[in-house]
Amino acid sequence: GYAFTLPLFRWLGGCRIGCYVHYPTISTDMLSRVSQREAAFNNASFIARSRVLSFGKLLYYRLFAYAYGLAGRRADVVMVNSSWTKDHIMALWQVPKRTKVVYPPCDMSGFSANALYPLPDRSTGKHQIVSVAQF
């Protein structure tokens, strides 16, 4: 989330930059929702209903995304935590040769200690659900 500090370290500090992005500050999904005037978590319904406010917000988002991309392109190596994040960073930062997915470590010992099979006794009414998702 601190991509705007990358140019400072690059130009003022003369540093080589490596960064790990968990979630982009702005995403192409956010731009799309505002462009389509869709009310969402990042686009209040009163803005989505107004052409003028939507235009202003989209202009702001595009400028912000452009600046975010300029800042992000200062990184020598970009690591992201998922293919979703990689797609957004590649679209915004445009550094495909320097961008790699590095999945976060996940302690699997809890899963192997409590095996999911055999399925629970149906008479108890208890079920185990394991959900691995982005959000």
Side-chain angles (χ1 to χ4, degrees), residues 3-128:
F4 292 106
T5 64
L6 300 180
L8 295 174
F9 287 97
R10 162 71 83 201
W11 296 325
L12 299 179
C15 301
R16 298 201 62 201
I17 307 293
C19 64
Y20 179 81
V21 180
H22 179 74
Y23 192 88
T25 303
I26 189 166
S27 69
T28 55
D29 291 345
M30 293 166 69
L31 288 162
S32 177
R33 284 189 186 102
V34 174
S35 178
Q36 295 172 8
R37 296 179 55 202
E38 176 184 331
F41 71 93
N42 69 313
N43 198 33
S45 59
F46 76 93
I47 293 174
R49 288 190 304 265
S50 167
R51 285 181 188 245
V52 172
L53 293 177
S54 290
F55 176 80
K57 186 168 186 173
L58 187 58
L59 178 63
Y60 165 74
Y61 267 26
R62 285 182 176 159
L63 289 171
F64 188 90
Y66 178 75
Y68 185 61
L70 285 178
R73 284 192 281 280
R74 303 298 70 98
D76 295 296
V77 175
V78 180
M79 295 169 283
V80 297
N81 72 325
S82 68
S83 57
W84 182 90
T85 301
K86 181 181 180 185
D87 291 344
H88 289 278
I89 290 299
M90 299 252 294
L92 297 165
W93 292 13
Q94 301 171 358
V95 289
K97 292 181 180 176
R98 294 182 269 157
T99 304
K100 302 290 181 213
V101 177
V102 177
Y103 294 104
C106 181
D107 180 11
M108 299 301 289
S109 62
F111 290 111
S112 60
N114 298 314
L116 297 176
Y117 294 100
L119 292 173
D121 182 5
R122 293 184 190 262
S123 65
T124 65
K126 294 182 180 179
H127 301 278
Q128 292 180 340

